[in-house]
Amino acid sequence: MPLDLDALLDAMTLPEQVSLLAGADFWHTVPIPRLAVPSVKVSDGPNGARGGIFKDGPSTACFPVGIALAATWDAALIEQTGEALGREARLKGARVLLAPTVNLHRTVYNGRNFECYSEDPWLAGEIAVAYVRGLQRTGVAATVKHFVGNESEFQRLTISSDIPERALRELYLLPFERVVREGGAWAVMTGYNRVDGSFMADHRRLVEEVLRGQWGFDGLVMTDWAAAHDTVRSVLAGCDLEMPGPARERGAKLVEAVQAGRLPASAVRACARRVLRLAERVGSFADPTLPPERADDLPEHRALIRRLGAAGCVLLKNEGGLLPLAPAPGQRVALIGRAATVPQIMGGGSANVNAHYRSAPADALREACPEVGFTHHPGADIHRLVPRQPRPMTLEIYASADFSGPMVATQTVPDSEVQWIGSRPPGIAEGTPFSCRARLEYVAESDGEHAFSLVSAGRSRLAIDGVPALDAWRDWRRGSTYFTFGCDEVVHRRRLRAGERLALQVEFSSALPDVPGQQAGVHALRVGASRLLDERDIEAAVAAARGADLAIVFAGLNAEWDNEGLDRPGITLPHRQDELIAKVAAANPRTVVVLQSGSPLLLPWVADVRAMLQAWYPGQECGHAIADVLLGAAEPGGRLPQSWPARIEDTVAHGDPAAYPGVDGHVAYTEGLLIGYRHHEARGIAPRFAFGHGLSYTRFEHSGLRCDRPTLRPGETLGVALTVRNVGPRAGSEVVQLYVHDEQSSLPRPPQELKAFAKVFLAPGESRELRLTLSMRSFAFYDDRRAAWVAEAGRFELRVGASAADIRLRVGVVLEGEWVEAVEM
Ligand code: BGC
């Protein structure tokens, strides 16, 4: 029998209703035992269900990051992924997953582009709808985030995204609209940012009027973590749940606001009803248990992740068919780059999970080709923060901010970083300050310059052999780490000889100077200690490449660059990686570059390497997925979900501080509709690699493009068909992309826009007829003068191809009259 939510609400006191409107803690809603109202657990995030502990909690399956999922262009596979993530969430006792992230790649700088799907709203929407359908089929709610205009991390807690209405509707709102209307998402998370000056948690027009009113969203809206700013406004805006708890803006403040007549009790009741409705939808009333977190490592999820990794790999270049590789027994292959042995599996921030394992490319290649002689040289660094010590660190913990009193506990963590985010050290009660001390031994592995560093959310300092060396204590200042609640890294360098031993003593205190906006419950300490790679490392790598039959360079970024909390400084490969690749390519003409990043990179050496694969961050099966593609056990199934520019000057908002990163707290989306390929095409700037690009190990022919009729009446849908044939030697998949070009319109439009696509798998010689469907919205633009979607009468050209720049077929269709869909309620 369905629950009578109204009867339940009638039975509640006002404070009880209000209690539902904020979390109990970081990850739970508030229960009301008297009325058998359950607590619901939520968990990050998009590429795995982390559970309640930020670092080193029960392990979990790590899936490819958002951009890698979108690069598959495979809705069916993403639906399976959503379903798998639902099972993963359940293993962590969670019934709400804080995913997917559907903000767009507006600029190349956004630190969270790795987590977002695409620069194109149609592709992002298609992937998100599939993800949400799969996820919610398991009874776990999706939380589509971050609604809306959250396209950068600069001043992320306060920035206002000032977005022209047309761009808002046609680009940034579109994935949310589709995931609500077509995917039936049960929850939405508002962004930290403001839009046109108003915080998203308070944004009545966008939450109450657009999301609920115009799109008919009947689910729950929650704030991003600590993004609630106002007691009354956010409730009136229809933002139901303040997270995390305990309440900062709600609780007693909200009860008082109702009692003082500053907002009607009916507004509280409406929000409380939606919290109950979510609990009902995810089955928490039927089964209110909050089981302990499990770390089950499921073989079927391992297999799915491996498949996904290869399906998202984009073969950017493959001159002379260098790939797939077929190394003969006895051949020598030089593996070069840090990422060959230190697998880069995910991005940073709240999407980070404690993966069950991390398969490394070097291991996977050795395993697949036991007869081949592999060597490995790291060549050049890739880090942003000095690498951690991979050995366990034991902390002695004191229940005071200054080491006074007795030690109350010890805590051992697997490496030299500890995070207490929404959790406390052992023996330390909520709200109690604490301090801790750890001793580490550092042994220099070889001669050269070594770096030691500290990052902390809380104060920290480090002494080497008893002498103070690093101070993030006296001058601690909030910086860009730990969601901006940690300081910037402080670094100390010194030359050491191989075998030299140093005693490091690190101290940490939770007590901080009174920082406005400091988030309670975010404490962390990270100690870096590592030799810095230098000339000798480049020389050794180049020498190995010269003496080998083949060189494979693993280059790119890591989760410290592609990270929540800060944007990227640019799109150049960090440290000396460009120099390394250029020198290796000069030493060995058979050089393959495997790139890993969450967004575009500049490739000054691109003409000198024969093959390039973009593997993104493919999750825990990283090494296997990359090896599968390199060796041809799997095909490179991915296509770029974003344009790759040839120069930074060619990118959106470059050189205009008002447009990026923003001035005086506002970032103006002055480019309007022109982001990604829309920008490149409208301005006639050729990209390095176009949106939708990705080669295959086989070849496809497209033919016979036709519409099911030459003219269309307003309101009709149009069927489009074509034949795709695999004319190459191997099985493979083709992503057929359909772009619509409006030949004449009363408002300026981008030259073409993606409106449909399909991925088709074909054996050699096989052909298939594909059918795509276009609706009126595929032809429409948003007319801000009329507040309506309008498809104007006239001729449209439908363009079909293998990327935005590789259009193979065109056909015209005429819309006989104007179609208008007003959006106002
Ligand atoms: C992020 C969200 C995330 C939340 C909870 C925030 O910092 O922006 O995406 O779900 O933290 O970890």
Side-chain angles (χ1 to χ4, degrees):
M1 211 179 59
L3 263 173
D4 187 344
L5 298 182
D6 290 305
L8 199 49
L9 287 161
D10 290 343
M12 284 180 201
T13 62
L14 175 67
E16 278 172 336
Q17 287 186 4
V18 164
S19 74
L20 297 176
L21 272 50
D25 58 20
F26 243 67
W27 309 117
H28 294 87
T29 64
V30 171
I32 306 179
R34 177 178 87 80
L35 297 168
V37 173
S39 168
V40 179
K41 181 174 180 182
V42 307
S43 176
D44 284 312
N47 52 266
R50 185 186 55 239
I53 300 173
F54 250 94
K55 184 171 179 284
D56 307 323
S59 65
T60 201
C62 179
F63 286 69
V65 299
I67 195 170
L69 295 182
T72 67
W73 295 63
D74 188 339
L77 190 57
I78 299 307
E79 201 165 321
Q80 277 182 45
T81 305
E83 217 172 315
L85 285 164
R87 288 190 291 269
E88 291 287 337
R90 288 298 186 113
L91 288 174
K92 296 292 180 284
R95 291 167 186 270
V96 178
L97 197 68
L98 305 174
T101 308
V102 303
N103 301 105
L104 298 184
H105 303 164
R106 172 179 174 252
T107 70
V108 293
Y109 301 106
N110 179 20
R112 291 184 93 167
N113 275 350
F114 77 91
E115 199 181 318
C116 307
Y117 292 136
S118 176
E119 68 187 26
D120 181 84
W122 181 263
L123 174 59
E126 200 78 356
I127 297 295
V129 166
Y131 183 107
V132 168
R133 282 191 183 141
L135 177 67
Q136 294 192 166
R137 190 173 302 134
T138 66
V140 171
T143 312
V144 191
K145 63 191 190 182
H146 307 84
F147 188 68
V148 60
N150 190 182
E151 272 77 33
S152 67
E153 292 294 281
F154 177 75
Q155 297 179 349
R156 73 181 203 133
L157 302 181
T158 53
I159 194 93
S160 177
S161 301
D162 298 346
I163 313 177
E165 188 66 11
R166 253 191 98 190
L168 188 62
R169 296 277 177 172
E170 291 186 30
L171 300 176
Y172 302 101
L173 285 173
L174 188 66
F176 290 98
E177 179 182 1
R178 294 196 60 204
V179 93
V180 163
R181 288 187 149 160
E182 297 168 46
W186 292 340
V188 166
M189 184 191 291
T190 56
Y192 282 118
N193 57 293
R194 296 178 288 155
V195 167
D196 298 331
S198 167
F199 279 109
M200 275 311 303
D202 300 340
H203 214 297
R204 192 178 157 78
R205 179 175 92 85
L206 290 173
V207 176
E208 193 58 36
E209 294 174 18
V210 174
L211 174 67
R212 291 196 204 283
Q214 293 168 14
W215 302 344
F217 177 64
D218 66 353
L220 172 131
V221 176
M222 69 178 79
T223 66
D224 199 341
W225 266 230
H229 294 274
D230 191 279
T231 305
V232 171
R233 268 203 293 266
S234 69
V235 174
L236 290 178
C239 183
D240 306 311
L241 180 65
E242 174 190 351
M243 285 302 282
R248 293 198 315 182
E249 292 299 330
R250 297 185 172 185
K253 280 190 192 170
L254 183 50
V255 173
E256 203 185 290
V258 176
Q259 284 164 349
R262 282 188 287 129
L263 100 165
S266 59
V268 168
R269 185 181 167 107
C271 292
R273 194 176 199 290
R274 290 187 288 256
V275 175
L276 297 176
R277 176 84 178 102
L278 181 73
E280 183 191 23
R281 273 179 157 159
V282 297
S284 290
F285 278 97
D287 173 11
T289 51
L290 290 166
E293 298 190 352
R294 298 167 60 110
D296 303 6
D297 178 2
L298 305 176
E300 61 274 26
H301 290 184
R302 287 183 170 220
L304 175 61
I305 293 168
R306 184 167 181 167
R307 190 169 153 214
L308 280 165
C313 258
V314 182
L315 182 59
L316 293 169
K317 178 172 179 183
N318 193 18
E319 266 173 28
L322 182 58
L323 294 177
L325 304 171
Q331 279 198 329
R332 289 153 307 159
V333 176
L335 303 178
I336 292 162
R338 284 259 194 224
T341 52
V342 183
Q344 301 304 322
I345 70 169
M346 60 188 159
S350 60
N352 208 273
V353 300
N354 182 19
H356 289 313
Y357 57 90
R358 298 164 178 242
S359 121
D363 295 338
L365 286 165
R366 287 193 171 108
E367 195 184 302
C369 309
E371 321 263 87
V372 170
F374 290 100
T375 57
H376 175 249
H377 294 84
D381 281 318
I382 64 172
H383 64 261
R384 186 171 76 88
L385 304 175
V386 175
R388 294 172 296 206
Q389 280 287 280
R391 281 180 290 284
M393 173 167 81
T394 297
L395 302 141
E396 298 167 351
I397 299 178
Y398 297 81
S400 61
D402 58 1
F403 309 93
S404 58
M407 186 177 94
V408 294
T410 62
Q411 181 178 0
T412 300
V413 290
D415 58 31
S416 59
E417 181 180 25
V418 57
Q419 295 181 8
W420 303 282
I421 300 182
S423 64
R424 307 288 292 166
I428 302 296
E430 200 60 54
T432 317
F434 64 95
S435 51
C436 60
R437 201 174 265 140
R439 291 175 189 80
L440 301 166
E441 188 186 46
Y442 182 75
V443 185
E445 59 174 40
S446 52
D447 293 3
E449 190 164 33
H450 295 245
F452 302 88
S453 79
L454 282 179
V455 173
S456 53
R459 297 172 198 257
S460 64
R461 60 190 167 208
L462 180 130
I464 300 181
D465 292 336
V467 181
L470 284 170
D471 185 295
W473 192 286
R474 261 170 321 169
D475 299 331
W476 185 93
R477 237 178 306 148
R478 198 172 151 185
S480 60
T481 60
Y482 299 120
F483 309 99
T484 71
F485 299 114
C487 62
D488 287 333
E489 186 181 40
V490 288
V491 183
H492 165 84
R493 294 172 173 213
R494 63 166 72 178
R495 298 201 72 80
L496 297 174
R497 296 213 149 280
E500 237 180 286
R501 283 169 191 276
L502 304 180
L504 313 184
Q505 177 171 296
V506 57
E507 294 186 327
F508 173 90
S509 168
S510 68
L512 282 178
D514 204 11
V515 187
Q518 185 65 28
Q519 186 172 336
V522 178
H523 294 111
L525 167 69
R526 181 187 185 285
V527 185
S530 178
R531 181 173 77 81
L532 299 175
L533 300 185
D534 59 26
E535 193 61 36
R536 292 165 304 163
D537 298 283
I538 294 192
E539 280 168 12
V542 172
R546 191 172 295 117
D549 299 294
L550 175 85
I552 311 177
V553 188
F554 294 82
L557 308 176
N558 69 6
E560 296 157 3
W561 301 101
D562 282 310
N563 196 353
E564 178 179 341
L566 80 163
D567 280 348
R568 287 177 51 197
I571 55 172
T572 304
L573 278 170
H575 298 281
R576 296 171 73 176
Q577 295 187 83
D578 280 331
E579 179 189 346
L580 173 71
I581 297 171
K583 287 184 169 165
V584 168
N588 191 326
R590 286 165 50 86
T591 292
V592 177
V593 176
V594 177
L595 291 172
Q596 289 199 260
S597 68
S599 43
L601 296 165
L602 294 180
L603 315 167
W605 33 262
V606 66
D608 305 323
V609 304
R610 280 179 50 196
M612 281 171 55
L613 194 66
Q614 164 58 272
W616 318 107
Y617 300 111
Q620 66 192 20
E621 285 286 336
C622 173
H624 288 133
I626 292 173
D628 286 348
V629 175
L630 288 175
L631 299 169
E635 56 137 6
R639 304 293 185 267
L640 288 178
Q642 60 180 192
S643 310
W644 275 42
R647 311 176 312 155
I648 188 70
E649 293 79 6
D650 295 346
T651 66
V652 171
H654 178 83
D656 178 1
Y660 181 84
V663 172
D664 295 336
H666 289 257
V667 55
Y669 288 33
T670 42
E671 73 289 341
L673 298 171
L674 301 182
I675 65 170
Y677 64 91
R678 291 166 168 81
H679 156 83
H680 282 271
E681 291 171 357
R683 303 191 197 284
I685 305 168
R688 168 79 71 211
F689 294 114
F691 174 78
H693 169 74
L695 303 173
S696 166
Y697 289 155
T698 185
R699 291 186 316 281
F700 297 93
E701 234 173 53
H702 301 182
S703 64
L705 177 65
R706 62 206 179 278
C707 299
D708 58 15
R709 54 199 184 285
T711 58
L712 199 58
R713 279 196 300 270
E716 289 182 348
T717 54
L718 179 71
V720 182
L722 75 149
T723 302
V724 185
R725 177 185 293 276
N726 181 348
V727 293
R730 303 170 65 100
S733 63
E734 174 73 322
V735 176
V736 175
Q737 304 160 36
L738 191 165
Y739 297 84
V740 174
H741 163 71
D742 190 351
E743 296 201 338
Q744 211 185 356
S745 89
S746 63
L747 286 180
R749 301 190 69 176
Q752 58 177 6
E753 297 177 82
L754 182 76
K755 294 298 173 185
F757 62 88
K759 192 171 195 177
V760 54
F761 296 82
L762 296 172
E766 195 187 355
S767 70
R768 179 129 4 120
E769 184 177 278
L770 284 185
R771 294 193 62 79
L772 301 166
T773 305
L774 298 179
S775 69
M776 275 299 122
R777 277 287 289 271
S778 318
F779 298 97
F781 57 84
Y782 184 78
D783 189 339
D784 47 351
R785 302 160 305 187
R786 298 160 73 175
W789 292 97
V790 177
E792 288 176 339
R795 191 171 185 278
F796 293 82
E797 185 178 73
L798 311 184
R799 303 171 174 176
V800 167
S803 84
D806 182 10
I807 299 299
R808 312 252 179 103
L809 302 167
R810 294 161 198 260
V811 66
V813 65
V814 173
L815 178 60
E816 286 181 332
E818 185 183 69
W819 173 83
V820 182
E821 186 185 82
V823 302
E824 293 310 334
M825 286 185 288

